[in-house]
Amino acid sequence: MVPAPHREVRRLQQLSAAGEQYVVDEHGNRVAVILPLREYEQLQEDLHDLAVVAERREEPTIGFDEFKKRYRD
């Protein structure tokens, strides 16, 4: 029985002293990476922050002195 393409055999490969882990296909090609959940969540947060910056890029800016005036106690 030949496995379906979407069911190809994969294995875990750990490389480097940094503990990076990859899932590789039967040819040794990296097809996925395994990250600690905390690191993944931080990357997701960073990606979101970058998207917000990109969306707001064209908004007018104010100087620091003006900012202090607006947000003083």
Side-chain angles (χ1 to χ4, degrees):
M1 180 172 154
V2 177
H6 64 279
R7 290 187 168 189
E8 62 192 41
V9 176
R10 295 181 181 184
R11 62 187 173 92
L12 181 64
Q13 180 182 54
Q14 186 165 348
L15 300 174
S16 84
E20 298 163 332
Q21 293 182 321
Y22 300 93
V23 177
V24 296
D25 64 15
E26 64 274 3
H27 302 290
N29 300 313
R30 295 178 189 170
V31 295
V33 63
I34 298 174
L35 299 172
L37 186 56
R38 189 173 195 117
E39 187 174 340
Y40 171 77
E41 289 169 342
Q42 184 62 53
L43 287 171
Q44 289 293 97
E45 184 178 328
D46 292 347
L47 185 59
H48 176 266
D49 292 347
L50 288 171
V52 169
V53 168
E55 287 175 7
R56 301 185 73 181
R57 175 167 268 155
E58 300 301 320
E59 290 183 9
T61 60
I62 61 171
F64 185 63
D65 290 334
E66 178 64 25
F67 175 83
K68 288 191 302 186
K69 286 180 193 174
R70 289 187 189 183
Y71 297 101
R72 261 193 203 138
D73 291 341

